[in-house]
Every structure is written in structure tokens, then in C-alpha cells.
Amino acid sequence: MRMKAAVLHAQGMPRPYAETRPMQIEEVELEAPGPGEVLIEIAAAGLCHSDLSTIENQRPRPLPIIIGHEGAGIVRALGDGVTGLQPGDHVVALFVTSCGECRYCVRGRPNICGASFATRAKGTLMSGAKRLKRLNGEAINHNSGLSLFAQYAVVMRDSLVKIDPDIPLEDAALFGCAVMTGAGAVLNTARLRPGEEVGVVGLGGVGMNALLAAVAAGASRIIAVDTSAAKLELAKEWGATDTFLAGNADCAAAVRDATDGGLDTVIETAGSIPALELAYAITARGGSTISAGLPNVASKFAYQHAALVSEERSIRGSYMGSCVPQRDIPLLLGMYRRGKLPVQKLKSGFVTLDEINLGFDRLSDGTVLRQILRPNA
């Protein structure tokens, strides 16, 4: 079938993207789903900082490629052997497809299964197939087995979680990345308990979800830190008890003074080394610094190892919120339906395929949280 898609042809192009247009809107060919694969119509896809990092060449990818890894849609066709889904079902897409057999999968950690990382580098689905091509026959690479900046996508069955049809797909799309990553870092990685104090450094889509999850978990104090005064105001409205402007030279000292030496748990979601350094600086003795942000692949973080030992501190990564998606997405959606995770507040507006480059200019400026692509609008 033919469809419209935003095809990324070059990484690292200068801004403004609305002028340089790293993504070109093209009519492309999408093959029918093969064994174990599913055709979905994309209803909504979030514009995420991970996509921006790909555009900026912070994460090299094989080109040309259709990016987009956070979204929701409707099942339209099934490949041979697919079970548990029918045409018309509503689904959330997952950017990590697990094999179900490796030591990580069998230990309940499918989020760090290595199988999808290998296929991501090749631009294929887990099946090894490429189902996308330009009209001249040139193959187009898949992004994280999804490629959601398009009207349709062929994905693996295990890349989908079925959801109830009454949940708005424009809200459900956020659960595929921002909600899992942010809320999961609080609920799964940190295992935050009622009455505990927590800090969140970086208030983008992921950070705001961490904030909302901390409120839902019953944190007694939530310290929000960001470079944007406007986002700090929003954080106050949504449950932060204290806010600090990261751009101030004395920010770390001010947080330590306000918290009697720092916080037991600090979650960094900005995906930058300065943000991680700040998060580590405001973590108390015996505390845990958890990073859920992904910086440039070559970035390194330095710390004093003697202090790590003598203060019994820990530094942890949190990928995809340490989630088991088939278990956690329904749980998180249940919190959303009960008003405990009002993630709909994060939506900063909608864009069409023709506006997608402009949308990433806005994201790069830091003026928005989550714009939602409506590829069939």
C-alpha cells in the first residue's frame, strides 16, 4: 500500500528545521505484514526528545529512515501466526521488542533485552525484514521497530499492547514512552514509597510524568528542578512542593540547604551530563541518583569514587522505566483512568505531517512538553 510519511534523509542539519527540512514528507510503499507482524493505522504519535536526538545526530541511525517511537493506533491487518489481536483493536506501540527467551526476559527485565538493539542498528524489524521503501524502490529503514511518523506502520506483534477502546488514542500514545519512562522510573526503578522525598531534574515530558507519579505514590516532598521558569510554575500546579531554577549558579547548594543535605532519591530526565551532575550533587549520603535521560552516546559522567563508597551512594540507569510493558501499561492506564496520572495535561498541541519539522523546532526551544502528531489529519 502507499501512504504518506516523514522520511529522515540527513542527520545533524542546522536549525530552523522548518527551513532545512531534515524530514521530507513523501509518499512511500508499505508492504503487507509478514508472519508475526501487524499492520496498524497510526492515530497519534508523540514528538519526543529521543526523536530530536536522532535528528541532531546524537544517535546515528541508518538512512533514510522513518523515525517516531511513541504512539498508539488501530490494528488493520494481521500477518500469519499473530494471536491475541484482531482488526479494529486499539493498541499502544513499544519501542523495545523483547525476545522472551534471553536471561533478561526470563528474569522479568524485557526492557533491556538485547535483541531489539541489534535490529535497531540494522534498521529492520525483529523478523529481519524491511517493509518500507521509496517509490523508486530504495529501502527505508525502520526506527526501533516502529517508524510511527507515518500514516501506517508494520510492526512485530510483541511491539503492541492492546488497550480498551474507550481510552483516547491521543492520550494513550504517551504511554509508549513518556509515561513508561517517567512514571516507571519512580514506581519501578526507585520504588518510591508514601512519605518519601524525591527530586526530579528536568521537566520535559518524561520529567513531568515522574512528577505526576511521585504525587500519585504519596511523596511527602517533591523537589522540581529545571532551566525553565514556566515549567517550574507548571510543576508547582501539578504537585511539586519546592522548585529551583537550574540556571542559578547556587542551585545545588540551595537544594542541599533546603533539604538538610540532599534527597534520598533524585531522578534525572533531561538527558544531559550537566543535569546528571546536578542530580548527583543534590543526592544525600546513602541516596540514589537515577538517570532516565539519554545523552549523546559518547557522553561520560565523572564522580568521586571514594565518596560513592564512603557515603554508600548509588547511580542507577532506568531504561523504559524498568517496565514490563504487558504488565505495566495496563496498570498505568488504570491510574490514568482513576485520575491518578493526568497525563493529558502534558499535551502541548497537535501537528500534521506537514508541520513536523516545525514541531521539532518548538521541542528544541524547550517551549513545549509533548506535541502530538496526527498523521492522518
Side-chain angles (χ1 to χ4, degrees), residues 185-274:
V186 171
L187 302 175
N188 293 333
T189 314
R191 297 188 181 275
L192 194 74
R193 294 175 294 182
E196 292 185 338
E197 299 182 353
V198 64
V200 179
V201 178
L203 298 175
V206 172
M208 287 298 195
N209 271 290
L211 169 70
L212 294 176
V215 173
S220 62
R221 193 173 187 185
I222 303 170
I223 308 294
V225 185
D226 198 88
T227 57
S228 166
K231 289 181 179 177
L232 291 175
E233 286 300 316
L234 274 180
K236 282 184 180 179
E237 291 179 22
W238 296 350
T241 57
D242 308 78
T243 60
F244 293 85
L245 195 63
N248 292 342
D250 63 345
C251 179
V255 175
R256 287 195 298 268
D257 288 345
T259 56
D260 190 26
L263 295 142
D264 290 332
T265 302
V266 181
I267 297 171
E268 177 273 319
T269 65
S272 75
I273 298 304

Side-chain angles (χ1 to χ4, degrees), residues 319-375:
Y319 189 63
M320 210 165 75
S322 305
C323 282
V324 179
Q326 300 290 344
R327 175 198 70 193
D328 289 335
I329 285 183
L331 292 174
L332 294 168
L333 282 168
M335 295 174 68
Y336 157 82
R337 298 178 82 163
R338 295 191 300 274
K340 300 295 185 180
L341 274 181
V343 302
Q344 68 278 3
K345 292 181 178 180
L346 275 66
K347 293 186 295 187
S348 304
F350 302 92
V351 297
T352 64
L353 280 170
D354 290 333
E355 298 167 327
I356 195 168
N357 288 295
L358 175 61
F360 277 104
D361 280 326
R362 297 188 190 114
L363 185 62
S364 183
D365 289 337
T367 57
V368 296
L369 292 174
R370 247 336 175 256
Q371 299 165 96
I372 304 297
L373 170 69
R374 290 168 167 165

